[in-house]
Amino acid sequence: MADHSERWWTVQHGSGAVIATAIHNGHDLRPAVANAMALAESDRFREEDPFTGEAVLDVPAHVVVYRSRFEFDLNRLPEQAVYVTSDQSWGLKVWKYEPEQDLIASSLAIHSDYYRMLAQLLDSVASRHERFALIDVHSYNHRRDGPDGDPAPLNEAPDINIGTFSMPREHWAFLVDPLIEALRDFDFNGRKLDVRENVAFEGKGYQTRFVHERYPMRACAIAFEFKKFFMDEWTGVPNDAEIAAMRLLIRFVADRCEELLA
């Protein structure tokens, strides 16, 4: 894969009331982190959210992150954002040796820069819209027993998991409920997707909490998890038609949110 170790993220501004983000899209590492990492690149890629960056590109206001969550995890509190021990990283041995404090501090400085940037972006949208939404796009593995193992049971693994834990759910019911129904009716490459709320994940990540705490009752941050039906999570090979449909779906979500927020 190409070396883009100097880039952090791209930010596209727009005039609408919806922002889409792909904060676990990234795979890049700065050289010092790459040199200290024991985790194989393929194992790292499996735990990242590849191709989610492509899914958000048609939303006028969007953020795509290029740094790997194994350098710093933007969906965790600063004190938990660097995986120091294996219990913070699904049992994986991330480092050849315990990372030095300077390396951790440099990673956390970029984590801080991201949230400073996000605050400015939210403030800009809030200056134009009384209510607004952030679509926090992720993906999740459902074949953890190996490439030849059985996938997770369907009752535990919807195609799309909507996480609403950190929001005042009743306040945003006018937005979330019709949005879920619209997603269930969406024509996704000739089929309807299984869309459920708080099944595989509940939306407890730091970014959604940050949005709700900064703009309580004005901003609705929705954690949006695609099951990795759009790729082979063991080889990393994508299905281009499914990713193209994801891109259409996220634009549909943004447009529907705009209508409901108006």
Side-chain angles (χ1 to χ4, degrees), residues 6-7 35 93 109 117 184 195 199 203 211 222 227 258:
E6 295 303 314
R7 66 181 184 175
N35 291 337
K93 177 178 170 55
M117 174 280 296
R184 289 170 176 161
V195 182
V199 177
V211 174
I222 305 169
K227 183 164 66 175
E258 293 277 6

Side-chain angles (χ1 to χ4, degrees), residues 153-186:
L154 292 178
N155 66 314
E156 299 175 3
D159 295 319
I160 296 175
N161 184 97
I162 301 296
T164 60
F165 178 85
S166 69
M167 71 172 67
R169 184 61 174 83
E170 291 186 5
H171 178 76
W172 293 107
F174 79 92
L175 176 68
V176 176
D177 291 341
L179 181 61
I180 290 175
E181 290 306 311
L183 282 167
R184 289 170 176 161
D185 288 336
F186 185 82

Side-chain angles (χ1 to χ4, degrees), residues 93-206:
K93 177 178 170 55
V94 175
W95 306 102
K96 296 173 184 174
Y97 42 80
E98 185 172 335
E100 298 179 357
Q101 288 304 308
D102 286 351
L103 184 146
I104 293 174
S106 296
S107 294
L108 294 182
I110 305 174
H111 184 283
S112 178
D113 282 342
Y114 176 84
Y115 277 95
R116 189 158 38 247
M117 174 280 296
L118 182 62
Q120 292 173 348
L121 181 59
L122 296 174
D123 292 350
S124 175
V125 176
S127 71
R128 300 188 304 273
H129 300 278
E130 181 60 30
R131 300 183 301 193
F132 56 99
L134 183 142
I135 307 165
D136 182 25
V137 180
H138 296 267
S139 63
Y140 74 95
N141 294 324
H142 65 115
R143 306 191 69 93
R144 289 202 170 273
D145 291 337
D148 300 320
D150 292 332
L154 292 178
N155 66 314
E156 299 175 3
D159 295 319
I160 296 175
N161 184 97
I162 301 296
T164 60
F165 178 85
S166 69
M167 71 172 67
R169 184 61 174 83
E170 291 186 5
H171 178 76
W172 293 107
F174 79 92
L175 176 68
V176 176
D177 291 341
L179 181 61
I180 290 175
E181 290 306 311
L183 282 167
R184 289 170 176 161
D185 288 336
F186 185 82
D187 183 349
F188 192 96
N189 281 342
R191 69 184 190 277
K192 301 295 175 67
L193 297 181
D194 174 15
V195 182
R196 282 176 280 157
E197 184 177 350
N198 298 334
V199 177
F201 298 90
E202 296 182 327
K204 295 182 178 181
Y206 180 53

